Amino acid sequence: MFLGLPIPVIGLLIAVFVLVILVLRTRVHAFIAMLIAAAIAGLIGGMSVNDTLGAISKGFGGTLGGIGIVIGLGVMMGSVLEASGAAEKMAYSFIKFLGKKKEEWALALTGYVVSIPIFVDSAFVILYPVAKALAKNGKRSLLTLGVALAGGLVVTHHTVPPTPGPLGVAGLFNVDIGAMLLVGMSFAAFPVIGMVMYAKWLDKKYPDFNQQVFSDEELKQKYDDYIESREKKALPSLTLSLMPIVLPITLIFIKAILDLIAKSNPDLNSSVVYQFFVFIGHPMIALAISVLIAVYTLLPHSSKNDTANYLEEGVKSAGIILLVTGAGGALGMVLRESGAGDALAKEIAQLPISPILIPFIVSTLVRFIQGSGTVAMITAASISAPILSQIPGVNMLLAAQAATMGSLFFGYFNDSLFWVVNRMMGINDVKKQMIVWSIPTTIAWAIGGSLVILANLVWGNDGSITDLILPLGVLGGIMLYVKTQKLKS
């Protein structure tokens, strides 16, 4: 014991402090910083050098062994959807289906679907011309349409596999990827709705918000240029565009349903039909099938070399995420084997907050400190999973969702999407930039966190209605601030 705390807990606290300093104040990458933190937690926590290095290797390999292949296949599929124009086809189709004056909902829905396989920054760059075209053609606010599109994109990117971050969280909490996908899609809908409502409110409160950025002549030119470029590019059909996304989700859903039935009917386990769907419904197989279908339906005329380049480009973009996810697994394993997780679990069980808030709070703080949603949720999962696993009654699936929802908090200067959204919309004033993007991401954070807390009251054994004070209190304070602002156009 030291200062009343067990030695493993002291090691963890020092490791987290070093991790934050390295990420925030130095040029050390998050991957290396997490490995250093894992080593510090083990060595100071009482583990030998060999035991510490063994735990790091075991945690790194074990985590990537479960989800590394799925991450690779997911980003491959996203590259094909991006290169083929399938994302733009979905946007136009949703807009046509929903009709005029509902463009913001169509763009949010497009973002909600497209960002499941495609990285959010790339997806916004691809689809933003659609928002600009609609702003001119439908005489709608470019501000509203841009925020709605970005809102749909960012929420599923942070909460729904096979996006790498949520996949890594699922692996660290050891929860079923299919369950993570289905719950994530369900929960994500509500933060998206909240961001669209905020986008519509922005147009009413600040009707001239970005009038100086795009003149009528510039918007008309952008619209004409975009239409001309689309006419020269053959887009795939909506059915083919949606198939690579819908098919794996459907297969994973069928497997999840059959698994539930099999628990009450053990005879089903020996059924050929059950075994078949268990095989093709595994996320790894489902996504492999999806990638093959995407290649042969969306890129039918591409050469072998071009196709390989598209697929390899996707894998390159996921490389560093794989490393960060593996490092998170290494840190988590050290905390388990050093005893820090068990020691902290006993302390947290006595706190006046529900354990489910731990990953939510840690993810929120890391997101605010260093900006990356993926690093925030992976860090939160690697720290909190070993702790929560020692507390009876914690719903680990909801804990995983808490980590992903926390990573939505207040996207600002250290978040790459903050700059992508604001620069493409031509917004340079700092206060405007925060109102356009930092506030709506915090709204999504509050709604998502509240949803997890409410679900925990039903499906967890440790929930408290007072847990809602944190997300709703922050949301109320931010909305009060926004309403008092008087921005000039």
Side-chain angles (χ1 to χ4, degrees):
M1 299 285 287
F2 181 74
L3 297 177
L5 295 174
I7 294 300
V9 175
I10 296 294
L12 170 60
L13 295 176
I14 294 174
V16 171
F17 175 77
V18 171
L19 174 62
V20 171
I21 294 299
L22 289 176
V23 173
L24 185 61
R25 296 294 185 184
T26 74
R27 292 181 293 173
V28 175
H29 192 275
F31 165 62
I32 299 175
M34 293 185 78
L35 290 181
I36 293 173
I40 291 174
L43 295 174
I44 296 181
M47 297 174 67
S48 69
V49 172
N50 288 335
D51 288 344
T52 299
L53 294 177
I56 289 174
S57 297
K58 181 180 177 181
F60 189 94
T63 301
L64 291 188
I67 50 87
I69 296 174
V70 179
I71 290 177
L73 290 170
V75 295
M76 281 184 174
M77 181 175 68
S79 293
V80 175
L81 291 174
E82 182 178 334
S84 66
E88 292 171 278
K89 180 64 179 182
M90 282 185 269
Y92 272 124
S93 299
F94 290 146
I95 290 162
K96 184 177 180 180
F97 173 75
L98 290 173
K100 293 182 177 181
K101 302 303 180 183
K102 295 181 181 178
E103 292 90 347
E104 65 276 7
W105 293 106
L107 288 171
L109 177 60
T110 302
Y112 175 89
V113 174
V114 167
S115 194
I116 293 175
I118 299 179
F119 282 103
V120 63
D121 293 26
S122 299
F124 188 80
V125 172
I126 294 168
L127 294 173
Y128 186 61
V130 178
K132 289 192 289 189
L134 289 171
K136 174 60 183 175
N137 195 37
K139 295 183 180 180
R140 301 299 309 279
S141 165
L142 183 57
L143 174 65
T144 295
L145 300 187
V147 172
L149 170 61
L153 289 167
V154 74
V155 175
T156 50
H157 176 77
H158 280 243
T159 60
V160 181
T163 304
L167 272 177
V169 170
L172 291 166
F173 277 99
N174 196 28
V175 299
D176 181 73
I177 294 176
M180 187 75 173
L181 188 154
L182 297 174
V183 173
M185 289 189 69
S186 302
F187 282 12
F190 296 91
V192 171
I193 291 172
M195 293 184 81
V196 174
M197 297 302 293
Y198 176 80
K200 295 177 70 173
W201 175 82
L202 274 178
D203 183 35
K204 295 178 181 178
K205 186 168 181 65
Y206 310 119
D208 300 323
F209 194 80
N210 58 348
Q211 186 181 53
Q212 80 283 15
V213 177
F214 296 108
S215 64
D216 287 344
E217 293 75 14
E218 185 179 4
L219 276 175
K220 184 177 185 305
Q221 184 62 47
K222 290 180 181 295
Y223 175 74
D224 292 341
D225 292 344
Y226 181 74
I227 294 300
E228 183 180 352
S229 67
R230 291 308 91 195
E231 289 175 346
K232 294 178 180 178
K233 181 178 180 180
L235 297 176
S237 69
L238 178 61
T239 300
L240 294 181
S241 298
L242 285 171
M243 189 181 299
I245 300 175
V246 174
L247 179 62
I249 292 174
T250 302
L251 293 177
I252 291 170
F253 178 75
I254 292 173
K255 175 184 178 296
I257 295 299
L258 291 177
D259 285 341
L260 288 175
I261 297 174
K263 288 181 179 180
S264 58
N265 184 13
D267 293 338
L268 183 62
N269 290 316
S270 58
S271 166
V272 175
V273 174
Y274 174 75
Q275 292 298 325
F276 173 75
F277 279 105
V278 165
F279 177 72
I280 66 170
H282 188 284
M284 181 174 65
I285 303 301
L287 281 169
I289 294 171
S290 177
V291 171
L292 289 174
I293 289 176
V295 167
Y296 284 100
T297 59
L298 298 178
L299 300 173
H301 305 300
S302 292
S303 67
K304 181 179 179 180
N305 288 336
D306 288 343
T307 301
N309 287 335
Y310 291 138
L311 297 177
E312 290 170 8
E313 190 64 31
V315 175
K316 290 177 184 177
S317 63
I320 195 63
I321 295 176
L322 286 168
L323 292 176
V324 171
T325 301
L331 177 58
M333 184 58 66
V334 169
L335 299 187
R336 285 184 175 91
E337 298 199 356
S338 70
D342 185 51
L344 270 178
K346 295 176 182 177
E347 300 295 329
I348 290 173
Q350 302 175 20
L351 294 177
I353 62 171
S354 300
I356 200 80
L357 283 182
I358 300 303
F360 183 68
I361 292 172
V362 173
S363 183
T364 298
L365 292 175
V366 176
R367 159 73 165 184
F368 186 74
I369 289 169
Q370 56 77 54
S372 169
T374 299
V375 173
M377 67 179 78
I378 293 296
T379 303
S382 62
I383 292 174
S384 60
I387 299 170
L388 300 187
S389 64
Q390 303 299 319
I391 302 176
V394 175
N395 187 317
M396 298 302 276
L397 178 58
L398 292 179
Q401 288 295 320
T404 63
M405 290 299 181
S407 69
L408 286 166
F409 184 75
F410 203 77
Y412 72 124
F413 310 128
N414 53 9
D415 174 21
S416 62
L417 188 59
F418 173 90
W419 296 110
V420 171
V421 170
N422 279 298
R423 283 173 177 168
M424 292 200 70
M425 295 182 70
I427 299 172
N428 299 310
D429 179 75
V430 173
K431 182 181 287 187
K432 290 184 179 181
Q433 289 175 338
M434 295 177 69
I435 294 244
V436 165
W437 192 237
S438 303
I439 299 301
T441 54
T442 306
I443 291 173
W445 167 86
I447 294 174
S450 299
L451 196 60
V452 171
I453 290 168
L454 291 173
N456 190 50
L457 292 174
V458 179
W459 290 291
N461 296 327
D462 59 346
S464 170
I465 194 68
T466 57
D467 294 339
L468 289 169
I469 293 174
L470 172 61
L472 295 184
V474 172
L475 177 63
I478 285 180
M479 293 309 299
L480 181 63
Y481 167 78
V482 172
K483 287 186 176 182
T484 60
Q485 298 306 297
K486 301 294 184 181
L487 299 186
K488 298 179 180 180
S489 62

